[in-house]
Amino acid sequence: MHMAKPIITAKNLFAGYNEENILDDVSIDIFENEITVILGVSGCGKTTLLKNLIGLMKPSSGSIEVLDHDIVYIDEGEYNQLMRRIGVLFQGGALLNSIPISHNVAIPLEQHTDLPDYIIDEIVRLKLSLVGLGHAYDYLPAHLSGGMRKRAALARAIALDPAVLFADEPTAGLDPVTASSLDNLLLSLREQLGMTLIIVTHELSSIRRVADKIIYLDKGKVLFSGKLDEALESDIPELQKFFTV
């Protein structure tokens, strides 16, 4: 049982689109340095929950606290300060195709710091090296494989040494070998940088490799929240079906 205070808490969350709730009274706690995987079948509310936790959506009711900040009623200045401590790895990478990956990685540093260009360049080279792309500094995204694009996007997401990294379907569309390599990289970076990771995925192999904790959503509700081994041994029919497909 956790004695520490969670670094992310959502309570009684209702949220959705066009006045139709996708999330139905969701309450979760996420603890420091854990990898929490949010999973469930398509349409269960995984991405909606992720968007609410990082402030890209506002819930219709409920509360969200991220790193001691009230994310629901946060003002723009406080939100920008908070985003210096949060990294986001978007599904598909969301790289700007017209500029080299080095410039992509530099964007958070240019937006959120006053560091001189030569320091930003050193940090960019370090982050690219951490994800195994030190050789690809001048490459355009179009010249990278799918796995390399995900790594480049990951380098950008960790540019500011975030306390928390959110990742939306990080291994989607990758072959099994590349997906395994990316999972192992996430595990390594968690240890090196002391990050807390929140990952949305439905990839069973990735879940088994990286998850400390599982949050299983079903029709917008939290059906299960607990350790991976507890999820695998659960007698909840939906969980059993998910892990035995």
Side-chain angles (χ1 to χ4, degrees):
M1 178 144 183
H2 281 284
M3 300 301 291
K5 178 185 175 184
I7 63 170
I8 298 175
T9 297
K11 292 182 179 178
N12 307 120
L13 207 60
F14 290 83
Y17 309 89
N18 300 322
E19 299 182 1
E20 179 183 351
N21 281 323
I22 304 297
L23 301 179
D24 184 0
D25 198 20
V26 167
S27 296
I28 64 169
D29 289 324
I30 292 171
F31 291 87
E32 188 174 17
N33 207 37
E34 288 187 340
I35 298 180
T36 300
V37 176
I38 302 170
L39 58 132
V41 300
S42 296
C44 68
K46 302 187 296 291
T47 298
T48 301
L49 177 56
L50 190 73
K51 288 180 177 178
N52 276 268
L53 293 178
I54 59 179
L56 295 179
M57 287 179 63
K58 296 293 185 185
S60 52
S61 64
S63 65
I64 305 170
E65 193 171 280
V66 178
L67 298 172
D68 295 320
H69 293 264
D70 182 337
I71 200 78
V72 177
Y73 296 104
I74 198 168
D75 63 40
E76 185 177 356
E78 187 182 357
Y79 181 73
N80 288 336
Q81 287 297 313
L82 175 61
M83 291 309 292
R84 293 187 60 170
R85 302 176 64 198
I86 290 174
V88 182
L89 178 58
F90 294 100
Q91 188 174 354
L95 296 170
L96 298 178
N97 290 320
S98 60
I99 59 176
I101 60 169
S102 57
H103 293 187
N104 271 278
V105 175
I107 289 172
L109 295 157
E110 293 168 347
Q111 289 183 336
H112 295 291
T113 77
D114 296 319
L115 294 170
D117 290 346
Y118 78 95
I119 295 293
I120 289 177
D121 186 65
E122 287 183 12
I123 295 172
V124 167
R125 291 180 185 277
L126 173 62
K127 301 307 180 183
L128 287 173
S129 177
L130 280 175
V131 302
L133 290 178
H135 65 286
Y137 180 92
D138 291 319
Y139 287 23
L140 289 170
H143 298 151
L144 304 179
S145 67
M148 291 171 74
R149 283 196 295 273
K150 290 286 180 75
R151 287 171 176 262
L154 179 57
R156 183 182 59 191
I158 64 170
L160 292 168
D161 293 329
V164 179
L165 176 67
F166 291 91
D168 189 10
E169 301 282 4
T171 59
L174 301 180
D175 65 81
V177 173
T178 305
S180 176
S181 176
L182 186 62
D183 286 337
N184 289 330
L185 176 59
L186 289 171
L187 288 168
S188 174
L189 290 174
R190 187 262 297 262
E191 295 305 319
Q192 292 181 65
L193 303 179
M195 292 188 302
T196 302
L197 276 71
I198 299 95
I199 299 174
V200 168
T201 187
H202 63 275
E203 304 282 348
L204 284 176
S205 55
S206 289
I207 293 165
R208 291 175 183 272
R209 270 192 294 267
V210 305
D212 295 314
K213 182 180 177 183
I214 294 293
I215 295 173
Y216 188 92
L217 296 181
D218 182 64
K219 299 175 183 175
K221 292 180 176 291
V222 176
L223 193 64
F224 175 88
S225 178
K227 293 182 179 179
L228 174 62
D229 55 359
E230 295 170 345
L232 294 173
E233 297 169 3
S234 170
D235 59 2
I236 298 172
E238 290 85 351
L239 270 177
Q240 289 183 333
K241 183 177 180 181
F242 186 91
F243 281 111
T244 56
V245 169

